[in-house]
Structures are given as C-alpha cells and as structure tokens.
C-alpha cells in the first residue's frame, strides 16, 4: 500500500461531514482527492521523509506563510518545488481539528484553482 488508508478514511469522513462532493483518484503511488474536477489534496508515503504526507493545494497567496510552519515542507517531487502546493507532515494532521484546518484551507482555494486537462474520473 502506497498511502495510509486510515488517513484516507479520516479525510473522507471530514469531507462527508462538510457535505462536500468529491472524487478520488489513485495516482503516483498515492491517493488524490478532487472537488469540481480539481485536485484538492493528496496523500502518500514519502520514501525520502519516511512517513505519510498530506499534499495540500493551498494556492500561491498563502503558500509562503504556510511554509513557515514546522509541519510544512515544500512539495518537491522533481527537485523543483511547486508553488501553491505544500506537504504537511503527520504532526500537522494528527488531530481531527488540525486535519480540518488543511481541508478548509484547500477548499477555500479550490474555486480559484484551474481544473486538470485530464478526463474526470470517479
């Protein structure tokens, strides 16, 4: 398994509680959650870090401020960080209230995000 199923279940439950319609897409050894056919966030086990990471699409306006937090890392798959996306370490989502913070931040940015060119998958 390339991602934490327990974390995936926690995310699903929070999205349901918030009455958010979402889809899931398995990709790159992880799981991506999408709202309105746009990536909201993803989860995977990072080999370099050695644990589960939440990949959050927060947008460029809050990106630099969020990166100042100890539990945040630049999202870097290729050696070049992607602006507007961050990794959150388990300390940043261990409690449901902390996980909810990241979900809400990603949901706030989602209406401004560009949709993927790929076909919508359920």
């Amino acid at each position: 398994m390339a991602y934490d199923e327990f974390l995936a279940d926690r995310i699903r439950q929070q999205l349901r509680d918030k009455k958010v319609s979402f889809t899931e897409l398995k990709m790159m050894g992880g799981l991506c959650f999408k709202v309105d056919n746009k990536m909201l966030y993803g989860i995977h086990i990072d080999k370099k870090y050695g644990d589960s990471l939440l990949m959050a699409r927060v947008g460029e306006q809050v990106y630099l401020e969020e990166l100042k937090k100890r539990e945040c890392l630049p999202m870097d798959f290729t050696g070049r960080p992607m602006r507007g996306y961050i990794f959150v370490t388990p300390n940043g989502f261990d409690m449901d209230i902390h996980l909810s913070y990241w979900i809400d931040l990603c949901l706030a940015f989602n209406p401004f995000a560009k949709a993927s060119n790929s076909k919508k998958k359920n």
Side-chain angles (χ1 to χ4, degrees), residues 6-103:
F6 179 70
L7 176 57
D9 286 341
R10 288 177 58 209
I11 292 169
R12 288 181 193 109
Q13 188 58 51
Q14 287 215 13
L15 287 171
R16 288 182 193 118
D17 290 348
K18 295 173 188 294
K19 299 185 183 347
V20 174
S21 178
F22 65 95
T23 58
E24 298 178 20
L25 179 63
K26 291 182 181 179
M27 59 188 299
M28 298 179 289
L31 183 65
C32 177
F33 290 85
K34 297 174 86 174
V35 171
D36 296 329
N37 199 32
K38 297 180 271 187
M39 183 199 151
L40 191 65
Y41 44 80
I43 55 175
H44 76 131
I45 297 176
D46 187 82
K47 293 175 186 169
K48 183 169 60 174
Y49 182 74
D51 207 341
S52 293
L53 295 177
L54 181 69
M55 180 176 52
R57 187 178 191 185
V58 298
E60 289 192 37
Q61 289 192 336
V62 299
Y63 171 78
L64 292 175
E65 195 62 33
E66 295 300 329
L67 273 180
K68 293 177 184 176
K69 296 179 178 175
R70 258 190 348 207
E71 65 270 16
C72 296
L73 306 166
M75 190 181 108
D76 180 359
F77 281 119
T78 63
R80 193 170 124 206
M82 292 180 62
R83 291 186 56 86
Y85 294 81
I86 57 173
F87 282 138
V88 183
T89 65
N91 288 339
F93 56 81
D94 60 345
M95 296 178 59
D96 285 340
I97 194 164
H98 298 142
L99 181 59
S100 183
Y101 171 82
W102 295 110
I103 291 172

